[in-house]
Amino acid sequence: DTPQKTIDDRLKAICELLKSAVPYYDWVGFYFKNGDKEELKLGPYAGEPTDHTIIPFGKGICGQVAVSNQNFVVPDVSAQDNYIACSITVKAEIVVPLFVDGKNIGQIDIDSNTPDPFSVEDERFLEFVNAKVAEIL
Ligand code: SME
């Protein structure tokens, strides 16, 4: 018998796959709304551990996406005022919200050590990934 893979196992595998497949994806993780609280909680990820396991709505790039329901592409993190640094090597970030039944329940967050690496193709691709993830949640 093959042991049943949990949702977290699957999400972690997706993070590892994305990180290894795309050279400029250096940290890939999911954040989810933490119950009824107005905050995000770190889910499965691939890359260096981060101190930012809880992010209040509105704070940082992730917290802003929790409120705006919009993709947020940051070509240069040093130009952002409302930004939470996870690592000094990070140059750019993309966050794409994850919708289940039209509700923003979390997001995929990707950090890059390459300046300005993200294009509209990354947005479309990560929207597709999130739509697939929404089907297994
Ligand atoms: N940089 C994010 C915080 C999460 S770390 O990138 C993993 C932000 O500003 O919300």
Side-chain angles (χ1 to χ4, degrees), residues 11-31 42-48 50 94 107-112 118 125-126 129-130:
L11 294 180
K12 170 89 176 167
I14 290 166
C15 292
E16 299 281 6
L17 177 62
L18 291 176
K19 182 178 180 293
S20 60
V22 184
Y24 54 90
Y25 288 4
D26 293 297
W27 188 96
V28 180
F30 289 96
Y31 282 92
L42 181 63
Y45 66 92
E48 292 295 307
T50 172
I94 183 170
Q107 52 193 234
I108 191 166
D109 175 22
I110 299 180
D111 286 339
S112 183
F118 301 116
F125 172 57
L126 296 170
V129 169
N130 278 356

Side-chain angles (χ1 to χ4, degrees), residues 68-82:
S68 73
N69 308 319
Q70 308 269 326
N71 297 347
F72 200 157
V73 178
V74 180
D76 173 7
V77 294
S78 74
Q80 292 291 319
D81 291 332
N82 191 356

Side-chain angles (χ1 to χ4, degrees), residues 20-95:
S20 60
V22 184
Y24 54 90
Y25 288 4
D26 293 297
W27 188 96
V28 180
F30 289 96
Y31 282 92
F32 292 100
K33 181 168 164 54
N34 192 11
D36 290 337
K37 298 187 187 137
E38 297 285 289
E39 65 184 29
L40 295 163
K41 187 177 184 213
L42 181 63
Y45 66 92
E48 292 295 307
T50 172
D51 289 340
H52 302 108
T53 55
I54 298 284
I55 298 177
F57 279 19
K59 291 274 158 59
I61 308 304
C62 295
Q64 292 177 77
V65 169
V67 176
S68 73
N69 308 319
Q70 308 269 326
N71 297 347
F72 200 157
V73 178
V74 180
D76 173 7
V77 294
S78 74
Q80 292 291 319
D81 291 332
N82 191 356
Y83 170 71
I84 302 166
C86 280
S87 158
I88 53 160
T89 63
V90 173
K91 299 284 198 295
E93 179 163 2
I94 183 170
V95 178

